[in-house]
Amino acid sequence: MLLMGAKMSTTVDPAHAAAFDSRADYTAAVEQIRAAARDYYSGSTLAMDDATYDALIARVAATEAASPEWTVAESPTETVGAGGGVVGDVPHTTPMLSLDNVFDAEGLTKWAARLDRILGRPAAGYTVEPKIDGLAISARYADGELTQVITRGDGRAGEDVTGQARRAVGLPHRLAEPVTLEIRGEVFMTEADFALANELRTGHGEPPFAHPRSAAAGTLRAVDRAYSAPLSFFAYAVHGLDPTAHLSHAGAMGYVASLGVATTAGSAAGMPMCATISEVVAAIESLDAGRLTLGFGVDGAVVKADAALDRDEAGSSSRAPRWGIAYKFPADTRTTTLLRIEVQVGRTGVITPVAVLEPVQISGVTVTSATLHNFDDLTRRNVRAGDTVFVRRAGDVIPEVTGAKLDERPDSSEPFAPPVECPRCGGEINRTQKRWRCTRGRACGAHESLAYYTARTSMDIEGLGDKIIDLLVRAGLVTDPADLYDLDVATLKPLDRMGDVSAGKLVASIQGSKAQPFSRVLTGLGLRMTGRSMSRRLARHFTTMDALLAATVEDLQTVEGVGPERAVTIAAELVELRPVIDKLAARGVNMAEPVDPGAAPTATGDIDGDAGAAVAPFRKPDGTSMTVVVTGSVPGLTRDEGNEAVERLGGKSSGSVSKRTDLVVVGDGAGSKAAKAEDLGVPVMPAERFADLLAAHTAGDTARVASLLEEALPAPA
Ligand code: IVH
């Protein structure tokens, strides 16, 4: 769905771009593009994010179409490398061209139609491969030996980067056969190597790279560097094969792979063959869906006519081949305003600076906060509140701020003052390591996490109020929730001069909480970005802690309401909480969700999967959940239990009434929500009827369930 007619907020299709009104604005934009291109091809910093760059190019192209007389010589719309000026002096044997871009299925279809027109027949078939976010190079082999590696430069001549490129994984020094040919492809840095490169670089007192591409560019062109960051290579073209063999693109790439060279086709993304443009669209969607888990930057898909004859007949313009096209994905780095820097203290006492951002869309996700890693890094990256910053979201990682646009820094900005004491407990900070910690460690956040764990809406441990928690923490008896289960009467009695009876009661209620359902344990652990409702949903979906712990970020996203950002956070939280979870399990705390007696068991025990009214009354015929608001009191249930019941019945509980609400349960004391439901014409169910429905559902009385539903809901159209 992403592709068909989608309007990507991050890229601008030249056909829809606005031309500049004045020649001065046009030439200024050209200069900006050239400067950004220079940085793109050589620098270790990003001058402009990809989306802004593409948008500017699109406006320049639109201006040139509207006012051709303004067009500058060597316009960035015509030249390879956008006139970035990084040329080099080694001539290419055949020009290294660029690719034209499209941004949606419509653009792709137009490209295919044009290709068919040029050929005078439909193209025989297409390949779809990842567009690697790195730097194009040409690698020359003579008799199977790697002799020279050259950057693209201006497409006619490039720089000799043989020294560094020889280190790239995937580009062998010797081929499997003693052949003479030229292999073209992309040098890049994997996500893991990017992290390593920045460790190395900052360890040498240099500012970190802003992006894996600039890291690869900086490393490829580095001379006399004291450290060497790893590089990788994927081939996507080969020159110098016997033309009479008429090898298809897939055939040529298969041959290159057989020589021992890594190829885009052989990468985890693969290179599917497609007979039609709708198959191409499906292949691009599938690449887009999986690209964040590949471990290397993919900024689009490259679609190529596969047959040698089609490619020969289509030929190339001075800038780009007609047989291929780049389908650009939204950029993973964008710019936004850093509103403020907050300091967070984690469960183990780690103190981290976090950037609060003006919301920004990055590859389909709205990002509002990003990590700034640690205080050393923050100082090195020279980032301040009010700055325009680069924010990157890649793979399964939490978004990060990679740098600031220093030329746009407001005059009034002040450097960030790191905390002098722990912002949570006022304790001392241990600064001996990169990650600062509160010297009280886990005990720093113990009170907060214990109070959350024992709360009525979590494990509901009676008698364990704030005062006792405070005493337990101060006495060093408890630092995490699992320690509670080791308490006995003898330990508790002297604490608050408790009597045998009250100490006994407290121990009993602590021990009794072991039988609470898994959803409450999960709520009590307080994973970031999950509340009670989400914890219940997760518990019901996975049914056991073991299954939840085994879930991948993708598995987590199959739970309703869990998007990429939340899934990454939940996965990270589970890793951090693992020691406490294991401790709780070892003490016999229940880690399974009871299966609802009214729900037919499914493979995962997840009632969300069932569509029948008897199994999940609040499930619509299309399988989605009804949105139900409970307002006022329901006989026999607390407010939280009312919401829990909605979810047990297959619905989604919500706190506010809107046009999208499917049902409002109205009990005693209901106020404006009931009135709003009436105004909007949303169906209403009296609380007693809701209690009946719940009882009938639990008893498996399907006839009663059906009649109660029929009474409340309008008949389906
Ligand atoms: S084919 C004649 N295939 O994208 C040019 N290019 O925007 C043939 N790129 O200059 C290029 N991955 O640096 C091709 N799988 C891929 C690619 C790819 C990345 C780069 C390449 C090219 C640029 C065009």
Side-chain angles (χ1 to χ4, degrees):
M1 274 303 97
L2 175 68
L3 302 165
M4 299 304 297
K7 244 183 92 51
M8 305 247 180
S9 55
T10 48
T11 40
V12 177
D13 184 337
H16 303 117
F20 287 107
D21 293 335
S22 75
R23 190 172 197 152
D25 289 348
Y26 161 78
T27 44
V30 167
E31 275 323 305
Q32 264 182 292
I33 291 169
R34 285 180 175 157
R38 267 193 298 276
D39 286 342
Y40 180 107
Y41 289 103
S42 65
S44 58
T45 54
L46 278 180
M48 196 183 278
D49 70 47
D50 284 3
T52 312
Y53 183 89
D54 286 342
L56 216 50
I57 285 267
R59 290 197 67 184
V60 164
T63 312
E64 289 170 357
S67 316
E69 68 284 6
W70 291 355
T71 306
V72 295
E74 306 237 332
S75 161
T77 59
E78 288 158 10
T79 47
V80 172
V86 179
V87 175
D89 52 7
V90 186
H92 290 298
T93 48
T94 51
M96 279 189 85
L97 300 182
S98 186
L99 286 170
D100 285 330
N101 295 326
V102 292
F103 303 95
D104 53 24
E106 197 187 322
L108 197 62
T109 309
K110 276 192 193 151
W111 165 77
R114 179 160 173 257
L115 177 60
D116 288 355
R117 257 198 325 276
I118 296 167
L119 297 175
R121 55 181 158 77
Y126 312 91
T127 53
V128 177
E129 63 195 275
K131 184 172 186 310
I132 310 296
D133 195 8
L135 290 104
I137 56 110
S138 188
R140 293 179 179 170
Y141 285 91
D143 300 323
E145 297 290 334
L146 180 62
T147 53
Q148 197 173 30
V149 182
I150 311 149
T151 61
R152 183 169 65 175
D154 67 355
R156 290 173 288 243
E159 266 183 293
D160 187 319
V161 287
T162 315
Q164 289 290 340
R166 281 175 73 85
R167 297 190 305 102
V169 175
L171 192 65
H173 294 179
R174 177 190 286 258
L175 298 177
E177 289 174 26
V179 282
T180 298
L181 38 74
E182 215 170 294
I183 290 174
R184 291 182 177 178
E186 206 84 349
V187 168
F188 63 99
M189 213 177 256
T190 64
E191 291 291 339
D193 289 344
F194 172 61
L196 185 67
N198 269 348
E199 289 262 314
L200 288 169
R201 195 166 155 87
T202 53
H204 281 80
E206 292 177 50
F209 292 117
H211 189 276
R213 189 209 311 117
S214 37
T219 306
L220 194 60
R221 308 175 77 245
V223 191
D224 294 338
R225 191 168 271 171
Y227 54 92
S228 19
L231 291 169
S232 298
F233 175 78
F234 281 142
Y236 52 67
V238 55
H239 292 247
L241 296 182
D242 173 9
T244 61
H246 296 297
L247 273 186
S248 66
H249 176 53
M253 287 299 98
Y255 173 63
V256 168
S258 77
L259 295 175
V261 180
T263 62
T264 47
S267 74
M271 187 175 77
M273 291 285 309
C274 299
T276 62
I277 284 300
S278 21
E279 280 179 35
V280 168
V281 168
I284 295 176
E285 279 184 348
S286 150
L287 174 65
D288 192 17
R291 72 176 160 122
L292 295 183
T293 56
L294 289 171
F296 51 87
V298 167
D299 59 344
V302 180
V303 183
K304 297 173 182 170
D306 185 46
L309 189 64
D310 288 354
R311 293 157 69 100
D312 290 348
E313 287 187 14
S316 304
S317 74
S318 64
R319 203 189 90 90
R322 297 187 191 91
W323 44 257
I325 194 83
Y327 183 110
K328 293 272 285 232
F329 293 142
D332 71 356
T333 297
R334 303 237 50 204
T335 50
T336 188
T337 308
L338 173 59
L339 299 175
R340 59 180 187 280
I341 296 170
E342 285 183 354
V343 179
Q344 273 180 8
V345 189
R347 288 188 193 84
T348 55
V350 174
I351 305 173
T352 339
V354 174
V356 179
L357 306 166
E358 182 84 44
V360 59
Q361 283 275 324
I362 312 182
S363 38
V365 169
T366 306
V367 174
T368 53
S369 69
T371 178
L372 282 159
H373 298 290
N374 55 60
F375 293 97
D376 276 1
D377 218 43
L378 170 58
T379 312
R380 239 185 336 252
R381 282 176 206 259
N382 189 6
V383 171
R384 297 180 183 182
D387 278 350
T388 299
V389 289
F390 293 101
V391 185
R392 199 172 94 86
R393 176 183 166 262
D396 286 353
V397 296
I398 290 171
E400 57 173 352
V401 169
T402 56
K405 276 182 149 180
L406 298 181
D407 52 345
E408 288 183 19
R409 170 165 286 169
D411 291 339
S412 58
S413 89
E414 299 268 348
F416 177 72
V420 287
E421 58 184 32
C422 170
R424 184 163 56 197
C425 72
E428 253 181 76
I429 297 177
N430 176 347
R431 296 183 178 79
T432 55
Q433 297 197 331
K434 235 197 280 178
R435 273 149 63 101
W436 292 5
R437 277 174 187 277
C438 169
T439 48
R440 297 183 65 206
R442 281 183 184 278
C444 164
H447 190 111
E448 214 171 67
S449 55
L450 284 163
Y452 198 73
Y453 184 81
T454 57
R456 203 165 50 79
T457 48
S458 311
M459 296 299 269
D460 196 14
I461 303 181
E462 227 183 292
L464 201 51
D466 259 6
K467 199 171 127 202
I468 307 271
I469 290 177
D470 207 41
L471 291 170
L472 289 169
V473 173
R474 277 177 196 280
L477 291 169
V478 175
T479 51
D480 65 43
D483 292 336
L484 292 171
Y485 298 99
D486 296 339
L487 296 173
D488 55 20
V489 173
T491 324
L492 285 175
K493 258 177 48 177
L495 267 188
D496 193 26
R497 279 171 275 129
M498 257 190 226
D500 267 332
V501 178
S502 36
K505 267 192 185 164
L506 184 52
V507 171
S509 77
I510 291 173
Q511 296 299 324
S513 74
K514 286 181 182 171
Q516 286 283 23
F518 171 41
S519 51
R520 283 182 172 259
V521 181
L522 212 48
T523 307
L525 287 171
L527 277 69
R528 272 187 299 131
M529 292 187 87
T530 67
R532 276 171 285 167
S533 187
M534 181 51 74
S535 300
R536 280 198 294 269
R537 231 176 281 166
L538 288 168
R540 224 164 264 154
H541 186 95
F542 291 102
T543 63
T544 65
M545 179 64 95
D546 282 346
L548 177 63
L549 290 173
T552 62
V553 169
E554 273 164 24
D555 296 338
L556 287 166
Q557 287 182 60
T558 61
V559 178
E560 199 177 336
V562 181
E565 202 178 356
R566 201 193 295 254
V568 170
T569 305
I570 293 174
E573 288 282 284
L574 287 170
V575 169
E576 196 184 321
L577 284 163
R578 188 60 193 260
V580 183
I581 294 171
D582 289 347
K583 252 172 101 176
L584 286 168
R587 279 152 185 77
V589 173
N590 172 42
M591 295 286 175
E593 192 67 355
V595 177
D596 190 324
T602 63
T604 57
D606 176 14
I607 69 160
D608 290 1
D610 303 305
V615 174
F618 285 167
R619 199 39 65 117
K620 297 187 211 173
D622 65 0
T624 58
S625 295
M626 283 171 50
T627 303
V628 181
V629 175
V630 180
T631 174
S633 63
V634 178
L637 302 182
T638 63
R639 200 161 76 97
D640 197 42
E641 286 165 347
N643 290 334
E644 242 176 71
V646 167
E647 286 167 26
R648 203 134 40 87
L649 294 167
K652 200 165 59 182
S653 63
S654 163
S656 59
V657 178
S658 75
K659 273 194 296 201
R660 283 193 297 276
T661 309
D662 295 296
L663 182 70
V664 178
V665 175
V666 177
D668 276 354
S672 62
K673 288 182 196 169
K676 188 161 180 198
E678 201 173 324
D679 279 356
L680 294 172
V682 175
V684 165
M685 179 184 263
E688 300 75 38
R689 288 283 197 250
F690 177 68
D692 285 354
L693 177 70
L694 194 60
H697 173 66
T698 309
D701 183 349
T702 40
R704 178 83 181 128
V705 166
S707 94
L708 285 163
L709 279 179
E710 207 174 298
E711 200 177 283
L713 298 172

